[in-house]
Amino acid sequence: MPETVAELPGHVREELVRRLRRTKRAYRKQDVQVVEKPLLKRAVGASALGNCMEWFDFGVYSYLAATIGKVFFPGASPGAQLISSFATFAAAFVVRPLGGLVFGPLGDRIGRQKVLATTMIMMAAGTFSIGLIPSYETIGIAAPVLLLVARMVQGFSTGGEYGGATTFVAEYSPDRRRGFLSSWLDFGTFVGYALGSALVTVLNIALTDDQMLSWGWRLPFLIAGPLGVIGLYMRLKLEESPAFQQQLDEHEKNLAQDSVGSEFKTIVREHWRPLLICMGLVLLYNVTNYMVTGYLPSYQTEALGRSSGSADVLVLIGMVWIVVLITFLGRLSDHIGRRPLYAGGAIAMIVLAIPAFLLIKSAGTWPPIFGVLLLSTLLACFAAPSAATLPALFPTAVRYAAMGIGFNFAVAAFGGTTPLFTEALVNATGDKLVPAYYLMVAGVIGLVTVKFLPESAQLPLNGSQPMVGSKEEQKELIDTSQDLYRYAKEESSAR
């Protein structure tokens, strides 16, 4: 076996052999797409900024959950206020699948870039409007109703955001670096959350409780307006992804005869297995995600009786730790594969969830910090490979729509509801380790899912040409394909 072929990972060699057998020749220049670095940087940056803005809002809302409960549900008890606030938080996730069903097929039909610009506008408008809603004391029941409407606008737009952003970045990324480059998308996620939570922490320290209730809570939401304008400008400057451009002519031929309903039926009928794998991985990632980002701040103040300042700082430390880790883990997934990273994280979740929450519950400074860092490390293991792994499950023609369905249905059912269900279970049982049990169940489901997950590291996306980052890599891949094609023919002749 030629040295160039022997150095290939087994699953990469098998896929290359399969493609060469189908074409009955080695690769030529036109078979290998070279991604221009300026376009790649712009695509990753604009997509990451959208996620940053989305999670800036989530960070703000999670940290302000108790304050929002007092502003919009003043007649309820503190526990009921928090549950009502989380219920409004969860309501956005109810409409996420609808957003995925609308924006996903649109992204497969008219292009990823146009839809991502639209979701950016809607997301900014929904977040900005929350900062303008009068309190319950001013307009009565209309206040929580308007809050619910704004959250549903956010949820609808988010239904097309993450699936589209992951699809866009994955389709722009060279095969060998897809894990690293796609991890910048979730880097933006946690930077946004950290910025939102840091801003709320500063406001809580700088303002009195009366000032926060009166006007301070509005400031973080109002910042979304300028952020949205910047994000929209960046996204309007993007070019369509190479994978979508490759099949644009075929899309135009089929556009008239294929309806949204038929595409949905096709995805469910022909791609049900990757759809279930997608939902299992999203469950693992997002239950952990919303437990740490959505529930942990309120868990510490309501269940453990800590001050909001100390709880905010503790979770903020965890978010900064994820920001530090995530791109390194994304790069690691390019070398060892996506499956080992997911599997290792799921096993660690099952084993370490209870110890992590015991540390968080402990008195003192360092044990809670170690507990949060432990959970944050596990979350980073799931976040880092997700933006590269999930789009690779589906072919280009249905990738955006399939991501919209699989991701958003799983998030709506298991992710955004995590703070609500966990808070309700803690109140009902009085057991402060309920969050750990919840994470353990998610870990078991994730581990079972990984068993059926095909390895996609260093492989071309399903239905797309191989993608490389330079002319040198293009020549190297063509030479390797020639060596492998000759070797395969010699092996076949020898038999």
Side-chain angles (χ1 to χ4, degrees):
M1 182 180 292
E3 185 177 346
T4 55
V5 175
E7 290 175 351
L8 293 174
H11 70 285
V12 177
R13 186 165 58 246
E14 290 172 9
E15 174 64 15
L16 186 53
V17 167
R18 188 183 68 80
R19 291 188 174 223
L20 296 180
R21 282 175 177 166
R22 190 176 64 218
T23 58
K24 297 181 180 178
R25 60 174 176 80
Y27 283 148
R28 299 170 184 167
K29 276 191 175 183
Q30 64 266 30
D31 299 321
V32 182
Q33 178 94 28
V34 180
V35 186
E36 296 180 25
K37 289 183 179 179
L39 289 178
L40 177 60
K41 289 180 180 178
R42 200 183 307 157
V44 173
S47 300
L49 180 63
N51 262 28
C52 180
M53 182 185 152
E54 175 189 350
W55 278 87
F56 175 86
D57 162 60
F58 281 122
V60 165
Y61 198 99
S62 298
Y63 272 59
L64 288 173
T67 302
I68 289 171
K70 293 174 184 176
V71 172
F72 290 96
F73 309 97
S77 66
Q81 285 177 349
L82 188 59
I83 290 176
S84 298
S85 183
F86 278 139
T88 308
F89 178 81
F93 293 86
V94 175
V95 297
R96 279 186 71 154
L98 181 59
L101 290 174
V102 172
F103 289 122
L106 273 178
D108 287 329
R109 287 161 166 268
I110 67 174
R112 286 67 162 119
Q113 184 264 352
K114 295 181 181 69
V115 174
L116 286 173
T118 304
T119 59
M120 174 64 75
I121 296 171
M122 291 184 65
M123 196 187 313
T127 305
F128 184 76
S129 64
I130 291 178
L132 301 176
I133 299 173
S135 67
Y136 186 93
E137 291 182 354
T138 304
I139 60 172
I141 192 65
V145 170
L146 289 174
L147 176 64
L148 181 63
V149 171
R151 287 292 299 157
M152 293 181 86
V153 169
Q154 289 176 317
F156 187 79
S157 64
T158 305
E161 171 63 30
Y162 188 80
T166 54
T167 295
F168 195 76
V169 172
E171 290 178 349
Y172 252 108
S173 299
D175 300 334
R176 293 181 184 177
R177 303 176 65 216
R178 185 167 291 116
F180 170 67
L181 291 169
S182 296
S183 68
W184 285 96
L185 194 63
D186 287 281
F187 174 90
T189 292
F190 291 102
V191 166
Y193 188 92
L195 289 174
S197 57
L199 179 56
V200 175
T201 301
V202 170
L203 288 174
N204 278 328
I205 293 171
L207 302 178
T208 65
D209 289 343
D210 288 341
Q211 288 173 324
M212 280 297 292
L213 283 172
S214 176
W215 54 268
W217 68 271
R218 299 180 185 277
L219 297 179
F221 293 105
L222 296 177
I223 290 174
L227 281 178
V229 172
I230 296 170
L232 178 62
Y233 173 78
M234 289 185 66
R235 288 193 171 180
L236 289 174
K237 302 286 284 185
L238 292 173
E239 293 185 18
E240 195 50 78
S241 73
F244 184 79
Q245 288 178 348
Q246 285 173 23
Q247 60 162 30
L248 194 57
D249 291 340
E250 183 181 342
H251 266 259
E252 290 172 347
K253 292 176 188 174
N254 297 330
L255 191 59
Q257 61 190 44
D258 288 344
S259 66
V260 172
S262 66
E263 183 174 2
F264 177 76
K265 291 176 183 176
T266 298
I267 292 168
V268 174
R269 183 178 63 250
E270 298 181 10
H271 305 285
W272 61 270
R273 184 183 290 272
L275 203 59
L276 289 177
I277 293 172
C278 175
M279 293 177 73
L281 294 179
V282 171
L283 183 152
L284 175 65
Y285 172 17
N286 278 275
V287 166
T288 313
N289 192 5
Y290 290 107
M291 186 69 76
V292 174
T293 62
Y295 181 63
L296 206 52
S298 299
Y299 171 77
Q300 293 183 78
T301 56
E302 302 301 317
L304 304 183
R306 291 187 178 135
S307 69
S308 60
S310 63
D312 291 351
V313 170
L314 196 59
V315 177
L316 181 57
I317 290 171
M319 294 304 99
V320 172
W321 178 238
I322 293 173
V323 169
V324 171
L325 278 183
I326 194 163
T327 57
F328 292 100
L329 291 174
R331 191 190 298 273
L332 180 64
S333 77
D334 284 328
H335 294 286
I336 68 171
R338 324 290 191 221
R339 296 179 80 243
L341 198 56
Y342 275 120
I347 293 170
M349 176 84 81
I350 297 167
V351 174
L352 298 176
I354 290 177
F357 270 89
L358 289 174
L359 286 169
I360 291 170
K361 286 174 57 184
S362 300
T365 301
W366 289 107
I369 289 177
F370 286 135
V372 170
L373 290 178
L374 190 55
L375 290 181
S376 300
T377 302
L378 297 176
L379 175 52
C381 289
F382 306 140
S386 286
T389 304
L390 301 179
L393 292 168
F394 306 102
T396 305
V398 299
R399 183 171 293 129
Y400 199 150
M403 279 289 296
I405 294 167
F407 186 88
N408 290 302
F409 272 90
V411 171
F414 306 106
T417 57
T418 293
L420 176 63
F421 287 160
T422 309
E423 175 67 15
L425 287 171
V426 169
N427 281 343
T429 63
D431 188 347
K432 295 177 183 177
L433 287 178
V434 163
Y437 309 147
Y438 207 91
L439 289 177
M440 291 171 71
V441 172
V444 170
I445 294 172
L447 194 58
V448 172
T449 303
V450 172
K451 178 178 173 58
F452 300 97
L453 173 67
E455 183 57 72
S456 60
Q458 300 186 39
L459 291 180
L461 290 173
N462 192 348
S464 298
Q465 288 181 322
M467 302 272 287
V468 295
S470 65
K471 295 287 187 181
E472 292 75 18
E473 286 184 21
Q474 182 188 46
K475 183 179 185 307
E476 180 185 338
L477 180 56
I478 292 171
D479 291 345
T480 301
S481 74
Q482 291 171 346
D483 291 342
L484 181 56
Y485 188 66
R486 283 194 297 267
Y487 175 74
K489 286 185 68 174
E490 290 169 0
E491 284 285 294
S492 179
S493 300
R495 294 195 192 102

